Amino acid sequence: MNVLKQHQQSTVFTLLELKKSQREIHRITGIDRKTIRRYMAIFAARAPTAANSPAPATIGSKDTDQTPPLPRPPAFQAALTKACNFDFARSLCEPHRQWIEEQVRLQRNAQAIYQDLVDQYVFAASYESVKRFVRALRHIDPEQFDRLEFLPAE
């Protein structure tokens, strides 16, 4: 499936608003006519919903007090906060925390810990939950180094 980049999509939609034909859009942009046909269907599906929407039209309105919506934060920040704030209370591994911590101290990997949990404690949760739990337990601060400062040739 051919997916156009955002600037190409807006170009195609603009040309469709100007009632250009598929061939003419192909000549202008170099985009395949089958792809243009697919975007024509998307454009046609959006057009009736925009015309029948109960919200007042903002294009060409004289009201300049409208502020644009605030930009959304980047997605990686949300993932970063999730990684830093692991919630042990919601993990199904929490009842076995002490045993898992001992296994982590023995440098055992998450797969072996999971297999032993299933064999010894009839653990019903998934391997992924054990892997996340072990990863959070292994998170340690980097080793701190002292900076030694000397004068040259001292």
Side-chain angles (χ1 to χ4, degrees):
M1 181 162 148
N2 190 359
V3 179
L4 297 178
K5 294 181 179 172
Q6 186 63 39
H7 70 279
Q8 292 174 321
Q9 287 180 17
S10 64
T11 302
V12 169
F13 288 143
T14 303
L15 292 171
L16 288 171
E17 284 177 2
L18 297 173
K19 308 285 187 208
K20 301 289 182 183
S21 68
Q22 288 181 19
R23 288 178 186 236
E24 196 169 352
I25 295 172
H26 169 69
R27 250 184 266 121
I28 293 170
T29 62
I31 298 170
D32 186 41
R33 289 190 305 173
K34 292 177 187 174
T35 305
I36 294 170
R37 189 178 314 130
R38 194 175 78 242
Y39 281 96
M40 282 179 77
I42 293 170
F43 179 74
R46 287 184 185 172
T49 58
N52 295 332
S53 66
T58 57
I59 298 174
S61 68
K62 296 177 182 177
D63 191 14
T64 57
D65 294 335
Q66 294 178 352
T67 58
L70 295 173
R72 291 176 37 191
F76 70 90
Q77 285 181 346
L80 198 69
T81 56
K82 280 185 181 178
C84 294
N85 299 329
F86 185 77
D87 191 7
F88 285 112
R90 290 184 24 200
S91 175
L92 294 173
C93 299
E94 186 58 36
H96 308 286
R97 180 189 187 102
Q98 184 178 1
W99 185 82
I100 294 173
E101 284 177 346
E102 290 173 11
Q103 300 303 310
V104 169
R105 270 188 246 115
L106 294 172
Q107 298 296 317
R108 296 197 62 208
N109 62 14
Q111 182 70 41
I113 293 172
Y114 170 72
Q115 289 171 350
D116 286 347
L117 279 171
V118 170
D119 292 342
Q120 296 174 9
Y121 299 104
V122 192
F123 187 69
S126 68
Y127 164 65
E128 292 297 321
S129 64
V130 175
K131 191 165 73 170
R132 285 189 302 268
F133 194 82
V134 169
R135 185 182 310 129
L137 288 176
R138 284 195 177 141
H139 176 74
I140 55 173
D141 293 328
E143 188 177 340
Q144 184 176 359
F145 292 96
D146 294 329
R147 186 173 179 181
L148 303 175
E149 296 184 16
F150 299 101
L151 294 174
E154 197 174 284

